[in-house]
Amino acid sequence: MMSAELKGSYGNVTLNLQLTKIGRAQGNQLILNDTEVSWQHAQILQQGQRHSLVDLGSRNGTFVNEQRLAPNSPLTLHAGDILRFGNTSFTYANEAIKYTPTKAAPPSFTPPPPATPTPPYIFQQQASFTSPPTTPTKQEAADGGTPRWIIIVGGLASLATIFGVIFGIYTYAHPAPSAPSAPAATTSTLATTATAPAIPRLHGSYIGDFSSSAGGNPIQFAMSSLTEDDNGNFSASGGDGLCSATYKGVMHSNNSILFTLTQAANPSLNCLQASITFRGTLFTDQHLEGTWQGNDAFAQTNGSWSMQ
């Protein structure tokens, strides 16, 4: 039986599923409580005795041996590879294969069927991505094995004692003037500073469909390469798979979303010029849905939509 796992400073994760999802959202099999990790950040695919890593268009990227992966481009892992998601790192171990540093991604990618759900692994955010500790110096060995930090702390404590004595003598010779008494407290209520609610972060890509209230089959559409600033403004590319489109919109702190799809005319592909306004809500399971209103080619048309 193949034995593969991710080894981290807070524990190990056994890779026994066809698909292991990684991110901050609760629906992932590996949940990383790391503010630099996206809600749906990456996934690991089992392919025979090997595994591939795919970045899902995450905001801060996925790294293998400190090389950033291209979004949605799977990379075959080798034993000993260092995987980093935000500030959280793991070492890929696989007894079935020998160590060979990862160099290039495989030529194609076919997503596997969904795996049977298992209890997720939850990892807290690491303080920072740092180098391993250094070995003791020759001077530390000569001091009888006393670590350098103990010597430094002892010296600082001695300096603090000397400065404390000097300060006490000075304050005794130069007493501070008496402070005026504070006015009596009134019954008025003091204002407090309110903290602005956080604006939710969107994924790097979405796919879904929208239906017309006039009937007919739903139309599939998708977003990719989505970027969002700290004020919730975002832009993306995409379309319906045949006709390309661009997206611009804004995400609000109350989980409401507003964006416009703009499609240019392309007679050779039967693509009509169109502009559609979408309004909706980001739900707790990270899916989007709402209503839409069209103009240009979709004038006087409206309906509902949903994306995941």
Side-chain angles (χ1 to χ4, degrees):
M1 179 180 296
M2 184 188 70
S3 176
E5 60 184 357
L6 299 181
K7 296 184 176 181
S9 59
Y10 292 100
N12 300 337
V13 179
T14 302
L15 300 176
N16 56 359
L17 300 176
Q18 287 291 324
L19 175 63
T20 300
K21 297 180 179 180
I22 303 169
R24 277 198 291 158
Q26 292 300 314
N28 294 291
Q29 284 73 49
L30 175 51
I31 301 172
L32 303 178
N33 292 329
D34 185 331
T35 56
E36 298 299 311
V37 173
S38 299
W39 294 107
Q40 304 290 339
H41 195 103
Q43 60 187 20
I44 295 178
L45 312 169
Q46 181 176 323
Q47 298 174 325
Q49 292 186 328
R50 294 183 175 272
H51 294 82
S52 293
L53 176 63
V54 182
D55 179 81
L56 299 179
S58 63
R59 176 178 300 276
N60 295 312
T62 299
F63 295 80
V64 175
N65 299 326
E66 286 308 300
Q67 298 295 314
R68 184 167 182 165
L69 303 187
N72 302 309
S73 297
L75 183 69
T76 299
L77 297 175
H78 299 81
D81 282 346
I82 305 300
L83 285 57
R84 180 163 67 85
F85 315 96
N87 291 322
T88 306
S89 300
F90 297 93
T91 300
Y92 173 70
N94 191 337
E95 297 179 357
I97 57 176
K98 296 181 178 179
Y99 170 68
T100 303
T102 300
K103 294 295 183 181
S108 62
F109 165 59
T110 302
T116 303
T118 60
Y121 294 90
I122 301 178
F123 282 75
Q124 294 296 328
Q125 177 179 355
Q126 296 182 7
S128 62
F129 185 68
T130 59
S131 302
T134 58
T135 56
T137 64
K138 293 182 178 179
Q139 183 61 45
E140 290 170 354
D143 290 336
T146 302
R148 181 179 294 275
W149 68 268
I150 294 179
I151 298 173
I152 294 173
V153 170
L156 292 176
S158 299
L159 289 175
T161 301
I162 294 172
F163 281 116
V165 172
I166 295 173
F167 181 75
I169 295 172
Y170 177 83
T171 53
Y172 178 79
H174 302 83
S178 300
S181 58
T186 64
T187 57
S188 60
T189 302
L190 299 178
T192 58
T193 303
T195 302
I199 296 175
R201 291 293 185 179
L202 296 171
H203 301 172
S205 60
Y206 288 89
I207 189 169
D209 55 48
F210 62 97
S211 303
S212 172
S213 58
N217 294 326
I219 300 175
Q220 188 178 69
F221 70 131
M223 290 186 198
S224 61
S225 302
L226 187 150
T227 58
E228 179 184 4
D229 65 20
D230 292 336
N231 296 319
N233 300 304
F234 67 90
S235 61
S237 58
D240 60 5
L242 183 62
C243 302
S244 61
T246 58
Y247 299 85
K248 286 188 178 297
V250 60
M251 185 72 218
H252 298 287
S253 59
N254 63 356
N255 287 351
S256 64
I257 188 171
L258 171 67
F259 63 92
T260 301
L261 177 153
T262 303
Q263 176 179 294
N266 189 337
S268 64
L269 297 177
N270 294 323
C271 299
L272 302 177
Q273 179 175 336
S275 177
I276 305 175
T277 300
F278 293 82
R279 292 179 171 83
T281 302
L282 173 64
F283 289 84
T284 55
D285 64 355
Q286 302 303 307
H287 88 278
L288 299 161
E289 68 175 63
T291 60
W292 62 272
Q293 177 70 50
N295 48 46
D296 296 340
F298 290 86
Q300 307 303 319
T301 307
N302 55 67
S304 61
W305 65 277
S306 176
M307 285 186 124
Q308 179 68 45

